[in-house]
Amino acid sequence: MENTTLFENLTTSNISEIARPSTTEILLRFEPYSVYIDRIVSPIWYIIGLFGNPISAKVWLGRKSRKNSSAIYLGLLAIVHMFQLIIHFVFVELTYTWDIPTNNKPVLCETLNVLSIIPQYLAPLLVLGFTVERYIAVCHPFKKETFCTVRRAIIVIACLTALSVGFACVQADLWTYYPIYKDCFSKNENQKFQTIWTASTEIMFFLVVPLCVLMFNILVIREIKRITSHGPAVTAGGSQTSTVTLLSVSFYFICTLLPASVVYAIQNEMPNGNFENLQSLERIESDPVWLSFFTYIAIRKVVEEICLSNSACYFFIYYITGKYYRQQVNSFLRIDKCCRKFSDKDSTLSSEKTKYSLVSTNGNGMHATQI
C-alpha cells in the first residue's frame, strides 16, 4: 500500500541524534516471524511474478491478442506488476527485511518513494478499466462497438497512467533525505498534509476502487445469470471463457487488496510506544505498548504477503481459465511438442503391443517374442 516504514509516526521531531537499532534488528529481536515471512514468502512471489508476468505480457500484447481491448489492459497490468515486484524488492525487501538500505541517499529517497507508489495506484485502476469494459460488453452489448475498442482502451490507459503518476509525484514533496540522520523520513512541516493526503488516496485507490470493481462484477454476474437462464451459456458481449477469466482476475484482486486496506486503515489506531525506547532494545522489552504494536506488525506482514501475491499469481488464473492463453503458453514453452512426443511414443507402444498381440495369437509364441 502506502510507502511507509515500520514506524509510520517516526519523524525527525521524535528521533534523537543517538544511533538507534535498525528496523530489522528490532523485529528480529521482538517479532522475528515477521522477518522470516518476508525472507521466505516474498522471494517465492518474485520468482513466480518475474516468470509469469513477462509471459502474460507477451501473450496479451501479441499480434493476435491485442486486437481485443481487454487484452491491452491485461498486457499492461502484467508489465505494471513486474515493475512493482522489482521496486518492492529494491525499496522494501532490501531495506526493511535484509537491512540493506537503498533509500538513504539524496534523490533516491524521493525517487524510490514516487516509483513505489505508481504501480500501486495504476494496477487497481487497470483492473477497474477492464471490469467496466466487461460490464459494458455484457450488460450493454449494443454499446460495445463504441466503447470497447482498442483505440479507446489505449486512450483510457494513457489517462489512468498520467493520473497515477500525478498522484504519486506528491510523494516527492512529502519525503526527504536528512544528512544528519543519514536516513529518509517524511518532512516535519508536511505532517498534517501527509496524514490527510495518505488517508484520502488510500480510501480512493484501495477502498473505493475495489468496491466499484465488486459492484460491476455483481452486475455482470446477474446479467450472465439472466441470459443463461434463457439460452446457451454465451454472453452477448463475448465468450463465456473470457468473461470467467476477467471475473476471476477481478475477484482475486478484491480478495487480496481489501484485507490489506483494512489492516492499513487501522494502523493509525495502533499506538507506538515511547520513541526514546528505540535507542535501546532492553527498553523496548519492558514497554508493553511496543510489544503490542509488534503483534500488529506480525499480522500486517501476513496480510502484506497475501497482497503481494496479487502481483505474481495472475499467470495461474489466465492459464486455468483461458483456453487461448493456455495454448499460447504451451506453444511458447514448447509444452505442446513435449506432449506430442509422449503422445506419439504412447501410440507407437500401443501399436507395437497390438501387433505383438495379433502375432502371438497365431500359436507361434517364439516368433512373436522376436517381433
Side-chain angles (χ1 to χ4, degrees):
M1 308 290 283
E2 288 292 344
N3 49 343
T4 50
T5 63
L6 169 64
F7 308 106
E8 281 75 11
N9 298 326
L10 200 59
T11 63
T12 57
S13 62
N14 48 40
I15 295 179
S16 70
E17 295 185 24
I18 302 175
R20 68 176 178 85
S22 68
T23 298
T24 307
E25 290 174 331
I26 295 173
L27 288 178
L28 283 173
R29 174 71 177 270
F30 299 102
E31 193 51 63
Y33 292 109
S34 62
V35 179
Y36 297 151
I37 289 171
D38 261 351
R39 292 182 176 181
I40 295 173
V41 180
S42 291
I44 296 174
W45 301 141
Y46 296 147
I47 293 170
I48 294 174
L50 294 178
F51 167 79
N53 285 323
I55 293 177
S56 297
K58 177 179 175 60
V59 172
W60 295 127
L61 298 178
R63 186 175 60 182
K64 293 182 179 179
S65 302
R66 63 173 178 258
K67 296 178 181 178
N68 185 292
S69 57
S70 294
I72 304 296
Y73 284 99
L74 295 178
L76 185 61
L77 183 63
I79 295 174
V80 170
H81 280 158
M82 184 166 56
F83 178 74
Q84 184 172 357
L85 289 173
I86 294 172
I87 290 296
H88 186 275
F89 172 75
V90 173
F91 182 44
V92 178
E93 195 74 8
L94 290 180
T95 301
Y96 302 114
T97 304
W98 296 99
D99 207 11
I100 305 175
T102 57
N103 65 338
N104 61 343
K105 297 288 187 299
V107 181
L108 271 179
C109 171
E110 296 84 359
T111 302
L112 286 176
N113 273 286
V114 170
L115 292 179
S116 68
I117 285 294
I118 292 175
Q120 295 183 53
Y121 287 167
L122 184 54
L125 293 178
L126 292 175
V127 175
L128 178 61
F130 69 69
T131 301
V132 172
E133 268 212 346
R134 185 52 40 176
Y135 164 76
I136 294 173
V138 173
C139 300
H140 305 281
F142 295 109
K143 297 181 180 180
K144 179 186 175 183
E145 298 299 326
T146 303
F147 293 101
C148 302
T149 64
V150 172
R151 181 175 178 274
R152 188 175 291 272
I154 293 174
I155 293 174
V156 171
I157 288 172
C159 293
L160 295 179
T161 303
L163 180 67
S164 301
V165 172
F167 273 84
C169 284
V170 176
Q171 298 295 323
D173 189 53
L174 299 179
W175 297 80
T176 190
Y177 173 75
Y178 287 89
I180 189 173
Y181 306 112
K182 296 182 179 179
D183 210 340
C184 182
F185 295 109
S186 58
K187 295 180 181 178
N188 291 336
E189 60 272 21
N190 290 339
Q191 283 304 300
K192 184 175 182 180
F193 172 74
Q194 184 180 30
T195 301
I196 298 173
W197 176 262
T198 300
S200 301
T201 53
E202 285 195 351
I203 290 173
M204 180 168 59
F205 288 101
F206 308 128
L207 184 61
V208 175
V209 171
L211 290 178
C212 288
V213 171
L214 178 62
M215 179 190 70
F216 282 116
N217 281 340
I218 292 174
L219 294 175
V220 169
I221 292 173
R222 286 182 59 187
E223 182 65 15
I224 291 175
K225 185 177 180 181
R226 185 187 69 81
I227 294 173
T228 54
S229 64
H230 299 290
V234 178
T235 67
S239 68
Q240 185 184 26
T241 302
S242 62
T243 301
V244 169
T245 298
L246 296 176
L247 286 176
S248 300
V249 169
S250 296
F251 277 114
Y252 184 68
F253 159 78
I254 293 168
C255 292
T256 53
L257 190 61
L258 281 182
S261 301
V262 173
V263 169
Y264 276 84
I266 65 174
Q267 69 183 8
N268 292 330
E269 305 301 322
M270 298 299 300
N272 298 130
N274 188 343
F275 283 101
E276 294 299 325
N277 289 348
L278 290 177
Q279 313 302 330
S280 170
L281 296 181
E282 287 71 24
R283 290 184 182 180
I284 296 177
E285 202 166 23
S286 60
D287 191 332
V289 181
W290 272 124
L291 297 180
S292 175
F293 180 77
F294 291 139
T295 301
Y296 160 75
I297 289 298
I299 298 172
R300 180 174 124 176
K301 286 294 182 182
V302 174
V303 176
E304 282 178 348
E305 291 302 327
I306 295 173
C307 184
L308 186 62
S309 71
N310 185 266
S311 300
C313 295
Y314 284 167
F315 170 85
F316 300 113
I317 295 176
Y318 300 147
Y319 192 85
I320 293 171
T321 61
K323 181 179 179 181
Y324 173 78
Y325 182 89
R326 188 162 54 248
Q327 291 173 342
Q328 293 298 308
V329 171
N330 290 346
S331 176
F332 176 69
L333 298 179
R334 299 184 180 278
I335 296 177
D336 286 340
K337 290 186 177 181
C338 183
C339 293
R340 197 177 299 118
K341 286 182 181 179
F342 281 111
S343 178
D344 292 342
K345 186 176 180 180
D346 289 341
S347 298
T348 303
L349 290 174
S350 177
S351 176
E352 290 294 330
K353 184 177 180 181
T354 303
K355 182 178 179 182
Y356 172 82
S357 179
L358 289 173
V359 174
S360 64
T361 56
N362 289 334
N364 193 347
M366 294 295 294
H367 290 291
T369 304
Q370 293 174 359
I371 294 174

